[in-house]
Amino acid sequence: MLTSTVKESKVDVLIIGAGPAGLMACNALSKNGVKVRIVDQRRSYGLADRLLKEGNQLHVAAFYNPSTNGGIELTDRVPDVTAPTARYPFELTLHQGEIEAIFLDSMRDFGVEVNRPVVPISIELSDDESVLDDLNAHAVRVVLQHGARKEGETEIVHAKYVIGADGAHSWVRKSLDIAMVGEQTNYIWGVVDLTPDTDFPDIRNRTAIHSHNGSCMIIPREGDKVRLYIQLDAKSGLLTSNGRIDKSKAQPSQLLEIARKSLHPYSIQTPEMFEWWTIYIIGQRVASKFSVRDRVFIVGDACHTHSPKAGQGMNASMSDSHNLAWKLTHVLRGWADRSLLQTYEFERKKYAEDLIDFDKKFAALFSGKPRTEEDQDGVSHEEFLKIFQTFSGFTSGIGIHYAESLITSQIHQSSAKGLLIGQRILPQIFIRAADSRPVEIQDLLPSDGRFKILVFTGNSSQPEQLQHARNAADEMENALSRLTGGKIFSVFDIFAISSATKADVRYNELPHLFRSHWSKALIDDTDVTGKQGGNGYKTYGIQPNGGVVVVRPDGYVGMAAPLDGIADIASYFNSFLKLSPQ
């Protein structure tokens, strides 16, 4: 009898694809203590500081349009990010490989590496309902081939969940017969990365150029590099008979020559080398579904494709993983039932569809001919600028607004009028009550898999209001203890934010639940210089008698309530969290 030499293994989550979306998911899950494995067939959180250090900041967007002398001229310069809720009012550009390197280094801190080259051969989802209903069951069987050659070692991985992060031509999506819905446009664009030698004055600003010779977008990158997006004529001869791009018919020097025509009267020299280049046709498609039986999920380009020029591609892909990772973490820890997983498709598919709708408008305007005195049907600067600014929050990801759902309850929106339920918590500086140090609230809410509860106690230096806060604490502690089997701080992180002044506050008088550590007690006042902090209650729309704001593990506001509305907070959590986490 022959003994099988096929290797078998078990894992909580298997991620197929190690691009930004896959690495984002892997980093988030490994940070949350999930047993995760990531594979890729290619050879080959707490991340903001490094991104800011290595990336290039875009503060201004410039717009050029046809001039009367036949070239182009500067029409306008505006802030690149106009979303009023932006903590960092700029865009950051960094090469995909560098972003992946940041994730890879972070993953190594948790002992996780990408296995490559590994090729998935088959994926099989159990059809046994009892297995699918058992959240601890390894319901997905994936066969992997190690090495690029067919004679490489074969491995069978039994996974509880699988994430397909394997790009626009996703093997996972195709294997599960998930259709892509949408269309391919007639817009053809070339992309060139280079270190420019030019007299163009806005080469270090994000710049949109509409000229009689086509459109061009300039995206400054790290160091001295820039990326040029160059509109190509559909009659350029670059398409094959079946509508695909034939890259053999073009060279980066040819793309740069087309860009030169758009940049006239400014010049740009041919570099000694091109960093990278490609040609693509804009396709605008969304997957018909983002998950199969709440066991296999697709993220990033595997479930939506669109133009990259507005900067949404990688942002959207990583946001998919950011949305999914905490939900998988809660289910795997036994904190939530599978209904939580169903909110991934509900939230992210709607976002992807909205993204495609926006992309159609943006691509049409950017690829269209500019309006001139001779051509009044063309795209006006005012028209282009309006969509640019209107969708600034959308393209940056800041403006994502999740609809009412199991985890987004608008029942008490009036309790925090300045915060939109379903949007990210707004940046705000508060003061630590114990040492008067200013702190940014977003820095206190890391993506560690826990819900954050912000308790606005009102003026706790007033005895009557302090008693009101203590009553709320007693009710909240009872509710959360029942929900978590007494392990409140495994699932929740709780902060008190008092409106007392730094001169009057006594933070140790606050209920212990609201200050499990001295650093958790904050006040809404300015720092000792009077330059930072203050007006937090006003900005968030919190009433003087206090309130409660629930922030989801992904940083989005899930619910708000008055200070005496703890029963509604409990009902919110009871709708998807399970009793007594493991």
Side-chain angles (χ1 to χ4, degrees):
M1 182 176 180
L2 294 176
T3 302
S4 173
T5 58
V6 175
K7 179 182 176 183
E8 295 202 29
S9 60
K10 289 186 176 182
V11 70
D12 287 342
V13 180
L14 174 66
I15 300 173
I16 298 174
L23 294 174
M24 178 79 167
C26 187
N27 183 67
L29 290 166
S30 57
K31 184 175 181 179
N32 291 342
V34 172
K35 185 181 179 183
V36 61
R37 186 169 167 198
I38 181 168
V39 300
D40 196 291
Q41 61 183 332
R42 296 172 297 171
R43 301 180 184 273
S44 181
Y45 287 112
L47 309 176
D49 288 345
R50 186 168 163 186
L51 284 168
L52 289 169
K53 179 181 178 181
E54 298 183 14
N56 178 65
Q57 297 180 15
L58 304 183
H59 291 264
V60 168
F63 299 87
Y64 283 72
N65 285 288
S67 66
T68 55
N69 63 11
I72 57 171
E73 63 183 2
L74 176 66
T75 305
D76 208 353
R77 288 191 182 114
V78 301
D80 186 49
V81 174
T82 57
T85 59
R87 177 181 175 186
Y88 301 104
F90 52 82
E91 285 189 276
L92 196 75
T93 58
L94 188 61
H95 187 269
Q96 178 173 319
E98 297 300 321
I99 293 174
E100 291 177 0
I102 292 174
F103 281 124
L104 289 168
D105 289 345
S106 178
M107 286 158 48
R108 289 188 188 102
D109 291 340
F110 303 101
V112 180
E113 298 270 1
V114 179
N115 300 142
R116 52 171 128 217
V118 177
V119 181
I121 302 299
S122 67
I123 182 170
E124 181 182 341
L125 183 61
S126 174
D127 56 6
D128 186 331
E129 292 295 333
S130 63
V131 172
L132 293 171
D133 289 339
D134 180 359
L135 299 182
N136 289 314
H138 295 77
V140 192
R141 180 181 184 271
V142 180
V143 178
L144 303 175
Q145 177 185 297
H146 289 257
R149 298 181 179 180
K150 291 184 178 179
E151 61 267 24
E153 180 187 53
T154 299
E155 178 185 5
I156 298 173
V157 178
H158 300 276
K160 294 178 181 179
Y161 301 95
V162 169
I163 299 175
D166 47 346
H169 303 289
S170 171
W171 172 87
V172 174
R173 185 189 69 235
K174 293 175 182 176
S175 298
L176 296 173
D177 295 323
I178 300 175
M180 290 292 280
V181 180
E183 58 192 18
Q184 183 167 289
T185 70
N186 294 320
Y187 305 131
I188 308 173
W189 287 80
V191 187
V192 177
D193 285 354
L194 74 161
T195 299
D197 178 3
T198 179
D199 60 355
F200 184 69
D202 281 288
I203 197 66
R204 294 308 303 175
N205 288 324
R206 178 178 176 181
T207 304
I209 298 170
H210 275 108
S211 80
H212 292 301
N213 297 305
S215 298
C216 180
M217 180 170 277
I218 299 171
I219 305 291
R221 282 184 40 200
E222 64 278 12
D224 296 329
K225 302 172 189 174
V226 301
R227 171 165 292 182
L228 303 180
Y229 287 99
I230 305 153
Q231 182 183 10
L232 304 178
D233 194 324
K235 301 177 183 177
S236 60
L238 294 172
L239 297 183
T240 63
S241 58
N242 62 0
R244 293 185 177 275
I245 290 285
D246 185 352
K247 286 184 66 174
S248 67
K249 295 182 179 180
Q251 294 297 323
S253 57
Q254 293 173 267
L255 299 179
L256 185 60
E257 184 59 36
I258 296 171
R260 280 197 184 100
K261 295 177 181 178
S262 296
L263 285 167
H264 179 75
Y266 303 102
S267 63
I268 184 168
Q269 305 304 312
T270 300
E272 292 184 7
M273 63 169 288
F274 291 93
E275 300 282 340
W276 179 79
W277 71 280
T278 192
I279 301 172
Y280 67 91
I281 301 178
I282 296 176
Q284 296 161 329
R285 299 181 178 90
V286 179
S288 57
K289 55 185 177 181
F290 284 21
S291 65
V292 179
R293 303 304 299 270
D294 303 321
R295 289 291 187 162
V296 182
F297 304 85
I298 52 176
V299 297
D301 289 350
C303 52
H304 45 75
T305 61
H306 37 77
S307 163
K309 289 188 298 302
Q312 331 93 314
M314 199 182 301
N315 285 346
S317 295
M318 293 191 293
S319 291
D320 289 342
S321 298
H322 184 53
N323 182 282
L324 176 61
W326 74 267
K327 297 171 182 178
L328 280 172
T329 297
H330 273 247
V331 172
L332 285 164
R333 286 179 176 173
W335 293 353
D337 58 40
R338 64 190 296 179
S339 64
L340 180 62
L341 298 177
Q342 293 162 7
T343 65
Y344 166 67
E345 179 173 311
F346 173 80
E347 292 185 332
R348 296 306 298 173
K349 189 169 185 288
K350 176 63 167 61
Y351 170 76
E353 290 167 347
D354 290 344
L355 177 59
I356 295 299
D357 287 342
F358 158 72
D359 191 57
K360 288 179 180 178
K361 298 174 185 176
F362 190 86
L365 284 176
F366 198 75
S367 299
K369 291 289 185 183
R371 181 179 296 178
T372 61
E373 290 184 6
E374 296 77 20
D375 182 10
Q376 288 297 305
D377 294 329
V379 178
S380 71
H381 170 64
E382 292 74 20
E383 192 177 6
F384 187 75
L385 181 61
K386 181 180 179 181
I387 193 170
F388 181 90
Q389 293 185 321
T390 300
F391 289 98
S392 173
F394 188 77
T395 57
S396 65
I398 296 171
I400 295 173
H401 189 181
Y402 293 132
E404 177 92 10
S405 72
L406 196 67
I407 53 175
T408 306
S409 172
Q410 299 174 4
I411 185 173
H412 290 300
Q413 174 66 80
S414 60
S415 293
K417 293 179 180 179
L419 296 173
L420 278 179
I421 308 298
Q423 283 198 343
R424 287 185 64 209
I425 184 76
L426 297 181
Q428 175 65 39
I429 292 178
F430 292 103
I431 308 301
R432 282 199 313 218
D435 61 1
S436 296
R437 177 176 174 173
V439 290
E440 166 57 58
I441 192 65
Q442 289 185 347
D443 291 339
L444 303 182
L445 312 178
S447 299
D448 59 4
R450 293 187 294 172
F451 278 86
K452 312 303 187 297
I453 301 179
L454 310 182
V455 183
F456 293 84
T457 63
N459 189 345
S460 59
S461 66
Q462 297 176 352
E464 183 178 348
Q465 188 62 30
L466 178 60
Q467 186 57 50
H468 191 26
R470 287 172 174 167
N471 294 340
D474 290 342
E475 188 176 358
M476 183 181 291
E477 185 162 14
N478 288 334
L480 299 185
S481 291
R482 288 196 301 270
L483 190 66
T484 64
K487 301 177 182 177
I488 294 176
F489 295 106
S490 294
V491 186
F492 302 100
D493 200 5
I494 304 174
F495 295 82
I497 305 175
S498 172
S499 60
T501 67
K502 53 184 174 289
D504 296 331
V505 70
R506 301 292 184 270
Y507 82 91
N508 53 357
E509 292 180 349
L510 289 165
H512 186 267
L513 180 73
F514 298 166
R515 53 172 183 89
S516 59
H517 186 265
W518 61 265
S519 62
K520 308 289 184 181
L522 311 175
I523 57 173
D524 182 24
D525 197 0
T526 57
D527 69 348
V528 294
T529 70
K531 296 179 180 179
Q532 297 187 79
N535 291 319
Y537 273 57
K538 181 180 178 181
T539 300
Y540 286 1
I542 305 295
Q543 297 300 311
N545 60 353
V548 181
V549 173
V550 174
V551 182
R552 300 172 2 174
D554 56 1
Y556 288 78
V557 180
M559 185 183 179
L563 202 55
D564 58 4
I566 304 302
D568 289 333
I569 296 285
S571 296
Y572 165 79
F573 285 120
N574 274 311
S575 67
F576 59 90
L577 294 185
K578 293 171 66 174
L579 296 176
S580 303
Q582 302 299 314

